[in-house]
Amino acid sequence: MATTARQSKRSPAELQALLREARAQRGTSLGRDAWRRLRRNRGAFYALVFLGLFLAVSWLAPLLPLASPMALDLAVEPQPPAWPLTVNPRRSLAGERPPFGAAPTLSVGALADDGWAHRTYVDVELETPLGQLEPTENPMVRALVTQTAERKATVYLRAGDRPGTFVQRHALPQWDSDRARIDWQPSGERGAVEGTLVRGVDGLYLKLALQRAPGGPTVLAAKARTAVEGVEVELVVEGETGRETRRYPMPWRAAAGARVVGLQLDGVRLPAEAERDAAGQWPAMPDELGEARLALEIAGRSIQLSADLESVKLVDTAGERVALETRARVVPELRAVVHDDLGSRIDRRLTDIGRVVGLEHTDGIWELSALDAGLLHLRTRIFGLWQTGPLLGTDAKGRDLLARIVWGSRISIQVSLVATLCSLAIGVTWGAFAGLMGGRIDNLMMRIVDVLYSVPFIFVVIFLITLLNEYRVELADRGIGYMTVFYVVIGAIYWLTMARVVRGQVLSLKNQEFVEAARMIGASTPRILLAHLVPNVLSVVIVYLTLTVPAVMLFEAFLSFLGLGVEPPRVSWGLLAVDATDSISAVVIYWWAVVFPSLAMGSVLLALNVLGDGLRDALDPNLRGKD
Amino acid sequence: MIRFLARRLLWFAITLLGVVTISFFLMRAVRGGPFDGERRLHPAIEANLAARYHLDWPLWRQYLQYLGPFDWSDQGIGALLHVEADTDALQRLPADRVEGRTFRVGSSVVTWTGELGPTPLGGVLTGDLGPSFKYRDFTVNDIIGQSLPISVALGSVALLFALTLGLVAGIGSALWRGTNIDLSLRLAATAGIALPNFVIAGFLIILFAFLMPLLPVAGWGSPRHMVLPGFALGAPFAAYIARLARTGLLEVLSKDHIRTARAKGLSEWLILVRHALKGGLLPVVSYLGPATAGILTGSLVIERLFGIPGTGSHFVNSALNRDYTLSMGVTILYTVLVYSLNTLVDLVYTLLDPRIELEES
Amino acid sequence: MAAVLEVEDLVVRFETHQGTVRAVNGLSMSLQPGETLGVVGESGSGKSVASLALLGLVPNPPGVVEAKRLKVAGQDLLGLDRRGLQQLRGKEIAMIFQDPMTSLNPLLTVERQLTEVLERHEGLTRREARKRAAAALSDVGIPAPETRLDSYPHQLSGGMRQRVMIAMALLCNPKVLVADEPTTALDVTIQAQVLELLKDLQRRHGTALLLITHDLGVVAGMADRLHVMYAGRVVEAGPAADVLTSPLHPYTQGLLRSVPRIRGPLGARLDAIDGSPPDLAALPAGCSFAARCGLRTDACTKSPPPLVPVLAGRRSACLEAEALLLRSGVKA
Ligand SMILES: Nc1ncnc2c1ncn2[C@@H]1O[C@H](COP(=O)(O)OP(=O)(O)OP(=O)(O)O)[C@@H](O)[C@H]1O
Ligand SMILES: [Mg+2]
């Protein structure tokens, strides 16, 4: 009622004038005024310039002659930053292309292209020849490896784990056939072998569990042993035709050389080798392995491990950083046919010369967009095979830190932008709708926001992401990548504040004179929205956005840190932070791995925050026209 | 006041019920149970486990059992209601069993037997969060009971750091505004807000573990163990509090009533303490709610980094392990914590600001 | 009797980014005990700034206060340190602020805000102070003062708040009371009450009152003498009744003409002064009022005219004062 009374007082001319004023206020003057004030705010201005430069570098990453952010080199210790600028020629890999017919791991357009190839590393342990102090390369072994692998190898040497030995590492372009493959064939058996591997300083410990279908033949004796290619469980069973020996091989290189501390057969705990006595009883577990506890010194920290490896107790402490690996293979009425991996094939041919002690693959494929692939191509046209040396050092896996920081920034920026836009879309729609509708609907919608506010959202996100992880194959089939889901989930939690802010702004604007004036002269609702509300809400939204971007970036890092975010081989700043904290061990510290990623992340977040504050001041209507 | 608390409690109950219900059904809706994934168990064993954790029950019954307070197992209300799966056999039940006291709920057939055995209470409503799926010898209450005191201690230390550092910096920066002290404090605050806590923690570890080994960088037990993680966890909040305190104080100091106080001849100190601080720190008080929530969140990372056996690590792990009960238990716990702290903060706020009436909000 | 307030050549500047704002330019005045001096002038003429300067409350930066002499109750304000100033404020000189809505601390009870003055200046205990505060409240006509002491400002009406402000100012019987538009925020009946109250209290305590207002009616009823301010300068001074009946400055004339008259012809147009006050950051070389003045001569724009005696007890800063005097027909 009050408004109509007020409206009727105004003449059309006055209304027109009001409108003109409103339009003038919102249009050029607002933007120009804000820009003027932003420029005068030196901190914010520099932040803007810095961010601009940073964005440019980040988006042009494929064009820069950086080392590969994902090429592992496990042979060497992390390298400290090497100044002054060292530039290494990138080796041509043209000669290392797999022969026709062999499936290369690299796919076209992947970051792994050309100099970014995935590697397979074969470590061969050799005796240092008598009378020789420094190990020298054994050309015969290299020839043997090259011959077996049918590829050229690059060789690194390092000291061996046992005295008098050294390890000759062969780096090869990776082929699919380098990995062991198991073809399962029907066997008439049913069961599962499962192993738990614990790495202690004095070696590896393995516990095996064998679960078979009930009603199977009686087991008379069981034996578990480890070898280079993995673990094997041998059972002597009472078959239809009499005693027969069955083997359950488990290709599991990591378990090579582990000490088997126990074998669990259908729930019965046994020593590594056991045989039923005449009465059909299994032997008792030796005491020492039964209840005694193994104290292991791991990286200077003492942990206690129960002999059955069921529980790990921290005595003096430091997190559950004990390497516990579990692996299971189900044998559902199948028999495993093992195709050896490259390591075993080489090992067989080495005979007495030495033995293969390690086989490692650099994993994963980093798909590049067409644009990035183009840029990468352009880069080779410009820089040829040249790339920078470890300007900021290398990380614990020998990857170039500078390259990782730059490439990592791309994902961090992408996540924060996309997620922020998501939050923008949801928040603005929600808030504007509530504000415009008003009354009961507004009340209800804002109540919902309140309730959501009081839920600890981080937990919901972790929860959602783990749930969505279950369905990633299905999602991928529909062309929805994991990253997309990730963006949407983050965006979906940041819309609450945005909704509140927008609603508040809409409410206050709705009752303002120029909107009333516009309504009086007969402007339609959409027109009012577009011409009057949107520009006015915009400044608030922009300010909030600039503050959301760093928050989301932080959140991505947080999730990646917890292992819920970006996945290797891709790299984001969160993952760099994980690498950094992992590189802080009790013994040595690779400070560059902590300092440089932190600096990069810190400076960008700082700049974003400063810019956000500056924008807030610049767009604050209360400060408009002042300094 | 009472009405305010009652209303708060009502909303809280609704929120909590919503959280419990949604997460319960979401978790079960997802393919894959808690016992598959890494290890595949024998069907017989799996069936055994499923029976132990009631996974063989229809969903609604599992939910009611989880929620409590009644025990829906066959020893409890289950004695009252005879529940059978809706199998073909049941379809062909004799007529007398299908009529009268038998009805269909979801995919099961429920018969009212009318004989109530002793009904032990349990479930979330009685504070019993059930057995853990992963740590099979422990209940969720055990696990939380072991780890919560640690997390609470860590959180309190962090909050203490945040408040003391933040207030000192904020007030100092407001009193010396425009000077270099102000400038450097503000820069530090912006940096504190911008840097994630694990970055701060990384620097702290380098500093204290290697450059000057004064404090332990991992583990838990003595007060000395709390300093670094507490600081790393509290630093971003200290920065935010400093900023809030500064702007709040400056705003109050520019108010007319401060001029009145000056005109009365009060000393600057008294003006600050009596007239400015109370109003200037109101924003800090209302920030304490979000801050505690943030500290809880941050503790997930900090606990992992410093090897502290708190509740935070359980949260992430349980979500990854699909340890339904533990995961939900921690979610419920944190919801309760955040909600009650928020209510407390609102109460304190209204005590400080006489203009706010509790009933309004 | 010695003057309780002596001001000579008071200058207040604000050094801002846009330049120097000269809010007060050479203000002089003196006040005898029990006397009421009215200060009128349109909005922005520097009244509030000048009164703040009397308590040493001009914010610095950006404000700079200079004066040949600035004495309150015999003490030189300019020579006092912070402690000295604090002891003076509230005790010897007190102020009632323009806006009672924002001038009280919303987070403290009325009691706390009243008693702290007494605790500070008279060293009373909290209980004694409470008694005095209650008495002061009943002095200013607040019913049930004991219960009012426990309320917060937002629980009081505007008129009550202004009374609390007055009670607060008078708690220590100051020698000088500066009232900066004490009635502007109030409705007419309350206005009259508050003014009566001020008069009454002044009579009882012998307080000198500096009454700042732009309401000429208020001045006519209250002030003994009157200063008219324009752009930070006093342009006319003299006994209130005389100035209001026969103004000797065109600005005063303009002010008087723009006051609506109940007795005047119905529907008569009010004569607002044409133009607007000068920009204080760029004052003209001559008389600040010249641009709006009907009597302007070339001499007016050369240098600012000094405030000189025209008649016994009457001073004007207009070069044409004599002419005005002749026209008005007042005898020398
Ligand atoms: N802190 C300040 N910085 C800059 N200029 C100021 C400041 N305080 C006051 N001024 C200026 O001093 C001038 C005089 O202000 P003052 O408040 O004394 O006016 P006034 O005569 O009391 O007006 P009103 O009748 O509206 O109260 C104004 O032009 C004002 O802009
Ligand atoms: Mg004023």
Side-chain angles (χ1 to χ4, degrees):
Chain A
M1 306 311 116
T3 51
T4 39
R6 212 162 56 192
Q7 282 166 6
S8 57
K9 268 191 223 149
R10 294 231 160 76
S11 70
E14 269 175 327
L15 289 173
Q16 289 287 3
L18 254 172
L19 269 182
R20 252 201 313 280
E21 196 180 307
R23 216 169 281 150
Q25 229 185 23
R26 116 182 99 81
T28 49
S29 77
L30 189 141
R32 213 174 288 156
D33 196 62
W35 175 238
R36 189 175 55 78
R37 270 186 292 152
L38 193 66
R39 273 228 321 256
R40 204 169 302 167
N41 182 341
R42 258 191 304 157
F45 188 67
Y46 289 148
L48 191 66
V49 173
F50 171 76
L51 286 173
L53 283 176
F54 171 77
L55 270 182
V57 168
S58 162
W59 282 111
L60 291 180
L63 199 55
L64 305 174
L66 296 169
S68 160
M70 54 181 290
L72 302 179
D73 189 351
L74 298 159
V76 284
E77 285 275 289
Q79 305 270 298
W83 292 95
L85 201 80
T86 53
V87 179
N88 303 338
R90 206 153 59 105
R91 283 178 318 102
S92 166
L93 294 164
E96 301 178 8
R97 289 283 183 191
F100 182 75
T105 312
L106 7 158
S107 62
V108 183
L111 188 52
D113 193 30
D114 198 15
W116 308 67
H118 294 251
R119 298 309 178 96
T120 296
Y121 296 96
V122 182
D123 291 349
V124 179
E125 189 188 65
L126 297 165
E127 306 264 329
T128 317
L130 279 175
Q132 200 176 320
L133 287 176
E134 286 297 309
T136 47
E137 186 197 321
N138 185 331
M140 204 172 82
V141 174
R142 182 213 276 255
L144 206 130
V145 168
T146 313
Q147 208 181 30
T148 317
E150 301 165 52
R151 273 157 287 172
K152 248 166 73 184
T154 315
V155 169
Y156 310 87
L157 302 179
R158 68 170 162 84
D161 292 332
R162 292 186 300 139
T165 64
F166 71 99
V167 172
Q168 179 166 326
R169 156 161 285 200
H170 304 82
L172 304 155
Q174 192 179 113
W175 295 354
D176 274 349
S177 59
D178 292 347
R179 290 160 203 262
R181 271 174 304 124
I182 310 152
D183 288 336
W184 297 100
Q185 292 168 356
S187 74
E189 280 295 319
R190 221 173 121 83
V193 185
E194 179 188 333
T196 306
L197 192 62
V198 177
R199 206 184 304 276
V201 271
D202 58 339
L204 288 167
Y205 295 86
L206 176 73
K207 187 194 77 169
L208 285 173
L210 200 83
Q211 196 73 53
R212 299 177 321 130
T218 318
V219 178
L220 299 174
K223 189 154 87 182
R225 59 182 192 89
T226 59
V228 177
E229 59 275 5
V231 182
E232 194 176 71
V233 179
E234 201 179 281
L235 298 180
V236 180
V237 298
E238 187 83 58
E240 287 137 24
T241 54
R243 285 171 86 99
E244 77 185 62
T245 306
R246 288 184 184 168
R247 291 211 166 76
Y248 295 83
M250 226 186 2
W252 187 7
R253 249 179 190 285
R259 181 175 157 214
V260 182
V261 290
L263 172 68
Q264 196 168 332
L265 185 68
D266 298 336
V268 184
R269 287 212 326 234
L270 301 173
E273 287 185 26
E275 198 172 342
R276 282 189 207 261
D277 58 18
Q281 291 299 310
W282 287 110
M285 272 290 271
D287 242 9
E288 151 220 6
L289 285 174
E291 294 311 319
R293 287 167 192 283
L294 290 165
L296 300 178
E297 281 286 315
I298 292 186
R301 287 163 190 157
S302 163
I303 63 155
Q304 268 185 11
L305 186 69
S306 70
D308 57 3
L309 304 182
E310 279 291 6
S311 64
V312 178
K313 240 202 202 135
L314 301 164
V315 175
D316 171 21
T317 78
E320 300 190 15
R321 288 258 186 87
V322 43
L324 249 177
E325 284 178 36
T326 318
R327 181 149 126 169
R329 270 282 173 261
V330 186
V331 197
E333 300 175 23
L334 290 176
R335 187 194 308 277
V337 177
V338 181
H339 297 275
D340 275 346
D341 58 25
L342 185 60
S344 315
R345 297 206 302 270
I346 292 170
D347 197 47
R348 265 202 302 281
R349 296 188 61 181
L350 278 173
T351 57
D352 284 343
I353 307 171
R355 62 190 187 103
V356 172
V357 289
L359 179 72
E360 266 168 305
H361 307 278
T362 59
D363 262 335
I365 285 177
W366 184 336
E367 292 286 341
L368 287 187
S369 70
L371 179 66
D372 288 345
L375 285 176
L376 208 57
H377 184 68
L378 192 60
R379 161 193 157 158
T380 49
R381 300 292 291 272
I382 298 172
F383 295 101
L385 295 173
W386 289 79
Q387 66 182 31
T388 54
L391 295 180
L392 301 184
T394 61
D395 71 359
K397 292 189 177 146
R399 293 170 295 198
D400 184 63
L401 208 53
L402 176 63
R404 284 176 73 73
I405 290 174
V406 172
W407 281 88
S409 72
R410 290 162 66 89
I411 290 195
S412 289
I413 289 171
Q414 250 173 47
V415 172
S416 46
L417 288 185
V418 177
T420 305
L421 289 183
C422 268
S423 79
L424 177 78
I426 306 177
V428 169
T429 318
W430 190 276
F433 189 74
L436 286 176
M437 297 308 287
R440 216 158 244 256
I441 296 179
D442 174 35
N443 209 337
L444 182 76
M445 287 174 81
M446 282 304 125
R447 258 292 154 218
I448 292 176
V449 170
D450 284 349
V451 168
L452 289 180
Y453 250 114
S454 58
V455 175
F457 246 91
I458 184 81
F459 306 113
V460 178
V461 168
I462 291 177
F463 197 63
L464 272 182
I465 288 179
T466 33
L467 288 195
L468 285 170
N469 250 331
E470 291 292 324
Y471 293 98
R472 54 197 299 173
V473 178
E474 282 86 339
L475 287 172
D477 285 349
R478 304 222 166 81
I480 304 169
Y482 178 67
M483 290 312 289
T484 319
V485 174
F486 187 61
Y487 297 145
V488 174
V489 167
I490 296 185
I493 68 157
Y494 272 91
W495 64 272
L496 292 177
T497 314
M498 179 67 85
R500 273 196 184 172
V501 167
V502 169
R503 170 191 172 257
Q505 193 69 9
V506 168
L507 271 190
S508 77
L509 284 170
K510 203 165 71 164
N511 301 321
Q512 251 170 35
E513 297 197 324
F514 64 87
V515 174
E516 229 167 74
R519 199 171 290 146
M520 279 297 293
I521 61 168
S524 63
T525 308
R527 223 198 100 74
I528 293 177
L529 272 180
L530 269 184
H532 299 283
L533 288 180
V534 170
N536 277 292
V537 172
L538 206 61
S539 69
V540 184
V541 169
I542 288 175
V543 169
Y544 183 69
L545 277 188
T546 53
L547 297 176
T548 308
V549 170
V552 171
M553 209 180 255
L554 215 60
F555 193 64
E556 181 277 326
F558 175 81
L559 285 181
S560 293
F561 186 91
L562 294 177
L564 296 166
V566 175
E567 296 179 323
R570 277 164 195 274
V571 54
S572 78
W573 283 353
L575 285 181
L576 283 182
V578 181
D579 286 349
T581 52
D582 281 348
S583 76
I584 303 172
S585 75
V587 197
V588 277
I589 187 152
Y590 305 116
W591 58 268
W592 53 93
V594 180
V595 170
F596 292 120
S598 303
L599 277 185
M601 186 165 190
S603 57
V604 168
L605 287 173
L606 194 68
L608 278 169
N609 273 296
V610 169
L611 179 67
D613 288 349
L615 266 180
R616 187 180 48 200
D617 292 347
L619 290 169
D620 186 348
N622 297 327
L623 298 172
R624 194 173 290 170
K626 291 188 206 155
D627 279 282
Chain B
M1 173 91 156
I2 303 279
R3 248 180 69 192
F4 166 78
L5 283 182
R7 181 183 297 205
R8 266 301 173 92
L9 210 63
L10 182 74
W11 272 110
F12 177 51
I14 293 174
T15 310
L16 202 58
L17 194 71
V19 168
V20 170
T21 311
I22 292 175
S23 47
F24 183 91
F25 287 105
L26 255 186
M27 275 208 256
R28 318 264 156 161
V30 172
R31 164 192 46 214
F35 305 119
D36 55 34
E38 277 190 63
R39 31 201 282 140
R40 185 139 318 220
L41 296 172
H42 187 263
I45 297 176
E46 203 160 336
N48 224 336
L49 280 171
R52 178 159 154 217
Y53 291 101
H54 307 310
L55 293 180
D56 52 341
W57 287 4
L59 216 51
W60 62 268
R61 195 168 162 202
Q62 282 184 47
Y63 175 67
L64 287 177
Q65 173 80 8
Y66 182 70
L67 204 61
F70 301 112
D71 181 11
W72 287 81
S73 69
D74 289 337
Q75 287 81 50
I77 288 199
L80 203 62
L81 293 179
H82 182 80
V83 183
E84 271 166 286
D86 188 6
T87 59
D88 284 349
L90 266 175
Q91 305 281 327
R92 291 183 263 104
L93 271 180
D96 63 310
R97 280 203 61 190
V98 191
E99 64 190 27
R101 298 172 152 193
T102 302
F103 43 94
R104 199 175 292 272
V105 183
S107 61
S108 45
V109 173
V110 179
T111 311
W112 173 262
T113 63
E115 297 148 26
L116 186 59
T119 48
L121 298 183
V124 172
L125 288 183
T126 62
D128 175 10
L129 297 168
S132 161
F133 278 10
K134 180 81 182 176
Y135 306 97
R136 283 176 212 150
D137 296 333
F138 297 93
T139 65
V140 174
N141 288 37
D142 289 339
I143 295 173
I144 288 179
Q146 272 171 18
S147 58
L148 187 63
I150 297 172
S151 287
V152 166
L154 175 64
S156 317
V157 170
L159 199 61
L160 199 73
F161 267 124
L163 270 178
T164 41
L165 293 183
L167 287 183
V168 168
I171 294 171
S173 163
L175 291 187
W176 287 291
R177 75 172 163 287
T179 64
N180 284 338
I181 301 177
D182 178 30
L183 202 70
S184 36
L185 281 176
R186 275 166 68 192
L187 203 69
T190 315
I193 291 170
L195 289 178
N197 52 16
F198 47 82
V199 168
I200 295 176
F203 279 110
L204 284 180
I205 291 176
I206 292 188
L207 205 62
F208 284 94
F210 296 96
L211 298 182
M212 39 175 179
L214 296 176
L215 293 162
V217 292
W220 193 251
S222 72
R224 273 158 45 84
H225 280 109
M226 298 186 190
V227 178
L228 289 186
F231 181 82
L233 187 51
F237 302 97
Y240 207 86
I241 287 175
R243 192 186 263 199
L244 281 178
R246 180 181 184 272
T247 32
L249 212 55
L250 281 186
E251 196 184 320
V252 170
L253 282 176
S254 70
K255 286 262 167 73
D256 280 354
H257 63 80
I258 296 295
R259 199 177 56 191
T260 312
R262 290 219 172 89
K264 288 194 271 192
L266 302 183
S267 65
E268 288 297 314
W269 171 250
L270 200 62
I271 290 175
L272 176 71
V273 171
R274 189 181 289 165
H275 286 261
L277 275 190
K278 210 172 162 191
L281 298 187
L282 280 180
V284 174
V285 172
S286 52
Y287 176 63
L288 284 183
T292 39
I295 283 178
L296 284 180
T297 310
S299 67
L300 301 192
V301 168
I302 292 297
E303 282 177 11
R304 189 179 141 169
L305 250 173
F306 285 90
I308 297 168
T311 317
S313 54
H314 282 310
F315 188 82
V316 183
N317 292 341
S318 61
L320 292 174
N321 291 339
R322 285 205 222 97
D323 191 341
Y324 295 157
T325 41
L326 183 54
S327 178
M328 284 179 65
V330 181
T331 307
I332 291 171
L333 174 77
Y334 280 17
T335 311
V336 171
L337 271 181
V338 169
Y339 207 95
S340 38
L341 282 170
N342 268 330
T343 308
L344 189 73
V345 164
D346 284 357
L347 273 181
V348 170
Y349 195 96
T350 46
L351 288 185
L352 287 179
D353 190 348
R355 286 168 300 182
I356 307 242
E357 302 284 326
L358 279 179
E359 266 68 32
E360 302 283 315
S361 68
Chain C
M1 246 196 283
V4 285
L5 180 72
E6 293 168 78
V7 181
E8 204 181 322
D9 253 346
L10 176 70
V11 172
V12 184
R13 299 181 265 118
F14 291 102
E15 307 286 351
T16 66
H17 291 291
Q18 281 91 6
T20 306
V21 177
R22 300 175 180 281
V24 178
N25 302 295
L27 176 83
S28 301
M29 62 167 113
S30 73
L31 210 59
Q32 302 295 325
E35 190 187 20
T36 301
L37 173 63
V39 176
V40 296
E42 67 189 304
S43 193
S45 55
K47 306 184 297 287
S48 299
V49 171
S51 61
L52 284 179
L54 298 183
L55 282 93
L57 281 177
V58 174
N60 175 17
V64 180
V65 178
E66 286 159 2
K68 275 215 187 95
R69 188 152 56 160
L70 186 54
K71 277 190 164 182
V72 174
Q75 292 196 55
D76 187 5
L77 225 59
L78 296 173
L80 281 177
D81 60 357
R82 221 165 60 183
R83 277 197 81 79
L85 258 181
Q86 284 167 5
Q87 270 155 19
L88 205 70
R89 292 179 197 149
K91 173 97 178 125
E92 309 288 354
I93 181 166
M95 183 152 178
I96 301 168
F97 286 99
Q98 202 165 345
D99 188 355
M101 302 298 165
T102 59
S103 295
L104 288 173
N105 190 336
L107 301 183
L108 298 179
T109 58
V110 170
E111 177 194 0
R112 185 71 273 192
Q113 300 190 49
L114 287 175
T115 52
E116 64 185 0
V117 188
L118 295 163
E119 283 171 16
R120 164 84 189 161
H121 293 296
E122 314 212 331
L124 298 187
T125 63
R126 186 83 183 258
R127 185 174 300 176
E128 294 163 343
R130 186 181 161 98
K131 248 184 230 144
R132 276 273 296 275
L137 282 191
S138 67
D139 258 7
V140 294
I142 288 184
E146 278 289 335
T147 54
R148 279 303 169 204
L149 276 181
D150 295 325
S151 41
Y152 287 92
H154 72 275
Q155 294 161 333
L156 305 178
S157 74
M160 272 199 205
R161 275 185 238 181
Q162 191 60 293
R163 279 160 202 252
V164 171
M165 283 295 294
I166 294 173
M168 194 187 292
L170 291 172
L171 273 174
C172 296
N173 296 327
K175 299 209 171 69
V176 184
L177 177 63
V178 183
D180 187 357
E181 307 186 17
T183 56
T184 315
L186 307 176
D187 72 59
V188 189
T189 49
I190 311 268
Q191 261 186 32
Q193 282 176 21
V194 168
L195 289 174
E196 264 322 302
L197 179 73
L198 274 178
K199 235 194 236 172
D200 181 49
L201 293 169
Q202 188 193 15
R203 209 164 32 238
R204 273 195 278 155
H205 300 295
T207 311
L209 178 65
L210 184 67
L211 181 68
I212 296 170
T213 177
H214 33 211
D215 187 338
L216 292 177
V218 171
V219 175
M222 297 273 297
D224 304 319
R225 288 187 299 128
L226 179 62
H227 280 188
V228 180
M229 276 187 81
Y230 184 75
R233 287 201 177 85
V234 178
V235 292
E236 186 174 0
D242 296 354
V243 173
L244 292 178
T245 46
S246 60
L248 292 183
H249 194 283
Y251 174 64
T252 320
Q253 284 185 331
L255 266 187
L256 283 169
R257 266 203 300 274
S258 58
V259 175
R261 255 162 254 261
I262 295 178
R263 302 270 167 73
L266 254 170
R269 269 199 84 221
L270 287 177
D271 282 327
I273 308 176
D274 289 333
S276 51
D279 178 7
L280 293 179
L283 283 178
C287 175
S288 337
F289 189 62
R292 305 165 78 182
C293 184
L295 305 175
R296 179 185 52 227
T297 63
D298 280 352
C300 291
T301 55
K302 296 271 152 52
S303 64
L307 184 69
V308 292
V310 182
L311 274 174
R314 300 209 42 193
R315 289 174 296 160
S316 165
C318 182
L319 296 177
E320 302 293 317
E322 311 271 324
L324 284 172
L325 182 63
L326 288 178
R327 229 182 287 166
S328 70
V330 178
K331 280 181 201 76

